[in-house]
Amino acid sequence: MTTTPQARTSYRVRARTTPDGPARIEAAEQTIPVDAAWAEPPSGQPGPAELLAASLAACLLKNLNRSSKLLPFRYTSAEVDVVAGRQDTPPKFTHFTYELRLVTDEPQRRIDLLHHNLRRYGTVYNTLAATCDIQGRIVTTPSPPEPS
């Protein structure tokens, strides 16, 4: 019998559904409703594709937070849009694109360093990048002036 080496960190989720009922995922003490129906009109809930794109977005934001502490990198707000592209035959994701928008006064060289670190140290990012193309950019807006 062969054994698989244990991961240093592991994550667990539980997903449930019934043939006619809603689906849900339990993760980190939260319940996330998901669209797992086949050949039905969209339910308005995220499906597997949106959850995968959301994982990439969360990875970028988590690493932004990490970098803000380690570099340190100053920003007042951030938002990211992710688009996942798939093909039908064989069914798979072929690419992801993202735009990370930051409100920051950091100089361009620090923004470039941040972007390098987001791509280098993101677990979800690196996992997806090993199987498909990921392209992204950071767009910055200066912080608003302090009220006098």
Side-chain angles (χ1 to χ4, degrees):
M1 179 170 151
T2 60
T3 59
T4 305
Q6 285 291 326
R8 292 174 60 187
T9 304
S10 61
Y11 305 89
R12 179 177 293 242
V13 300
R14 174 170 283 155
R16 301 170 189 253
T17 193
T18 58
D20 297 323
R24 67 181 190 269
I25 295 173
E26 296 166 3
E29 300 182 29
Q30 298 293 316
T31 299
I32 304 163
V34 295
D35 186 348
W38 180 254
E40 298 288 329
S43 69
Q45 305 298 333
E50 290 89 1
L51 293 171
L52 187 58
S55 292
L56 177 58
C59 178
L60 291 166
L61 294 179
K62 187 162 191 137
N63 281 312
L64 171 63
N65 186 281
R66 175 183 175 272
S67 294
S68 75
K69 309 290 190 274
L70 293 176
L71 290 178
F73 184 91
R74 295 174 319 276
Y75 69 98
T76 55
S77 67
E79 65 179 40
V80 62
D81 288 325
V82 174
V83 176
R86 72 178 290 273
Q87 67 182 30
D88 288 332
T89 307
K92 68 177 184 175
F93 290 97
T94 58
H95 66 278
F96 289 82
T97 59
Y98 65 88
E99 180 176 279
L100 175 60
R101 291 178 299 283
L102 298 175
V103 177
T104 183
D105 289 327
E106 292 282 0
Q108 187 61 48
R109 67 177 176 72
R110 303 253 308 143
I111 294 163
D112 294 342
L113 175 62
L114 169 73
H115 200 195
H116 171 79
N117 286 339
L118 293 179
R119 293 179 295 218
R120 183 170 182 190
Y121 297 111
T123 304
V124 173
Y125 185 101
N126 287 326
T127 302
L128 292 173
T131 61
C132 61
D133 184 47
I134 300 178
Q135 296 293 320
R137 67 186 189 136
I138 296 178
V139 176
T140 61
T141 303
S143 298
E146 293 286 325
S148 45

